[in-house]
Amino acid sequence: MGSTGTVLRELRGAQKSAKGVSLYSRYVNRPAGRVLAAGAYRAGLTPNHVTLVSAAFTYAALAAVALVEPSWTLGLAVYAALAVGFAFDSADGQLARLTGRGGPDGEWLDHVVDCGKLLLVHAAVLISFYRFGELPSEAWLLLPLGFQLAAVVTFCAGLLREQLGKAAATAQASAAPAAPGTPPAPVSRVRAVALLPADYGVFCLVFLLLGAPGAFRAGYAALAVVHTLFLAAFLTKWFRELRALRPG
């Protein structure tokens, strides 16, 4: 087992493409995940162990949102746990690529945890609104449901786009001779900045406002609007991309 420095260097060479990744994930979450992956490697943990650690941090934080009265202290603790859980969510894939111990079971477990996270985070906000929030109107209780819909549809549609795109590309490659490879498009920094509002790590920052219920509702509502707009843009983009992959 190599030194931590050696492991970190190897992990840097096992990174996924930065295409379609926001600045937060590229410069904050992935580097943090790389450090955690190195620690997990030296501790002898498997990628699935790391996924479960991620789930423990994340789900504990969401349970606290639902069960504990909002305060500044709670907001700081929730944000810290969510941020650490998100970093471990990056670490499991990095560890899998480093060790070659990834597989369909690990990918499945990772997606199950992610899907549960997206459902529970907005359910927790809804419960908090109902139990502790002095809401201007009961209509505010509909906001987490709408945000949850946008988040889950974006996640599922993106996952299907990836899987169906791979299947179509494989079918096309088997039906036609291989074309000369083209160099990958350069990573767009403008796109990386534009994607910041849709990044889960940026979304987690809103929980720092739990001590000020009005500010939290305003920030959460603004993010819900932004995520809904991103959903519409993503669905249009993915539909056109998949349509272009039709045979013939």
Side-chain angles (χ1 to χ4, degrees), residues 99-114:
T99 61
R101 297 176 68 179
D105 60 318
E107 187 174 359
W108 175 85
L109 180 62
D110 185 51
H111 288 320
V112 168
V113 170
D114 285 344

Side-chain angles (χ1 to χ4, degrees), residues 73-161:
T73 301
L74 176 66
L76 181 60
V78 166
Y79 169 72
L82 291 177
V84 171
F86 191 35
F88 271 111
D89 187 30
S90 174
D92 59 6
Q94 297 190 48
L95 182 61
R97 287 188 293 277
L98 174 67
T99 61
R101 297 176 68 179
D105 60 318
E107 187 174 359
W108 175 85
L109 180 62
D110 185 51
H111 288 320
V112 168
V113 170
D114 285 344
C115 187
K117 172 177 68 180
L118 293 177
L119 287 167
L120 288 176
V121 67
H122 301 293
V125 172
L126 174 60
I127 294 170
S128 180
F129 279 178
Y130 180 77
R131 295 186 68 204
F132 307 113
E134 297 180 1
L135 302 176
S137 166
E138 289 187 352
W140 278 92
L141 295 174
L142 298 175
L143 178 62
L145 295 177
F147 202 158
Q148 183 183 73
L149 175 66
V152 173
V153 171
T154 300
F155 175 77
C156 293
L159 188 58
L160 282 169
R161 161 65 186 94

